[in-house]
Each structure stands twice: as C-alpha cells, then as structure tokens.
Amino acid sequence: MTPSTSEATSAVTAVGILDTSVVIELPNLSAADLPEFPTISVITLAELSVGSEVSKNSHERAMRQLVLQQTEASFDPLPFDALIAATALAHNLPLYTRNVQDFEGIDGLDLRPVTPNI
C-alpha cells in the first residue's frame, strides 16, 4: 500500500533520494526532515557540476564548487542504470539491454535481453 502524500511527507524514511535543491541547502535543513540514509543520483552530481561552471560571479562559483566537492566526498550516487530502470518502471515499459546483470533483482522490471547478431 502506498502512503498518502501527507503520510509520505510527515514520516521520515530510512533511505531516500535527495534532489539537487535539497543537497544545495543541506547545511540549512533539519535532519528530522531528511531520510536517515540519504542518497543522490548521478543527475544531481551533473547538475552541481554545471552549476559551478555557469556561474558568472566568482564567489558564487567558488561556493557552488565547494558544494560539489562536499557532495562528491559524502555520497555514493545511484548509477545511471538505476535511473534507466526507474524510468522503465514509471512508464510501465520493458527495458531492452545487453547488460542484464546491471538490472537483475529489480522487482517489477520487465527485462528483455538483447544479443548481437555476430
């Protein structure tokens, strides 16, 4: 059974993914509002990397670079494979892959192995 939105937002879970906006504000957030074991996706690292590069202000660029470095040191991000599987699950689509082992054990994933004709 899936909790309602109000239940999901009021209960702290053991494991959860932090969005980039949350990672940026971590020093200003209460631990009570966050999962006990937070994780991030590789997309968050990409967003943080780009953010530090596009800043026109040198102080802001340095602060963004610091957030990126702290995040890289603090988290082991979920790989792209997990995001690919999540997308397939969210859209109820089969996933065609040559790397079956990367996706084994993901409940509900309709995995379709593909082999080359060589």
Side-chain angles (χ1 to χ4, degrees):
M1 185 163 130
T2 304
S4 69
T5 303
S6 61
E7 290 172 326
T9 56
S10 66
V12 174
T13 59
V15 179
I17 298 175
L18 305 182
D19 178 54
T20 305
S21 62
V22 171
V23 171
I24 291 168
E25 292 295 330
L26 273 176
N28 304 316
L29 301 175
S30 168
D33 294 331
L34 302 171
E36 185 177 355
F37 301 103
T39 189
I40 61 169
S41 75
V42 291
I43 299 300
T44 295
L45 285 182
E47 288 179 338
L48 292 173
S49 295
V50 169
S52 65
E53 294 298 320
V54 299
S55 177
K56 305 220 184 304
N57 176 298
S58 62
H59 176 72
E60 184 178 334
R61 185 172 31 258
M63 295 306 296
R64 288 180 178 191
Q65 186 64 35
L66 180 61
V67 170
L68 172 62
Q69 291 170 344
Q70 289 172 334
T71 302
E72 289 174 329
S74 301
F75 293 96
D76 185 18
L78 295 172
F80 280 111
D81 292 343
L83 297 172
I84 293 168
T87 302
L89 286 167
H91 294 280
N92 197 29
L93 295 170
L95 176 59
Y96 294 80
T97 182
R98 292 185 55 221
N99 301 321
V100 174
Q101 68 280 0
D102 292 349
F103 301 99
E104 288 177 336
I106 300 175
D107 291 339
L109 183 61
D110 182 3
L111 201 53
R112 310 272 176 100
V114 177
T115 55
N117 292 331
I118 300 175

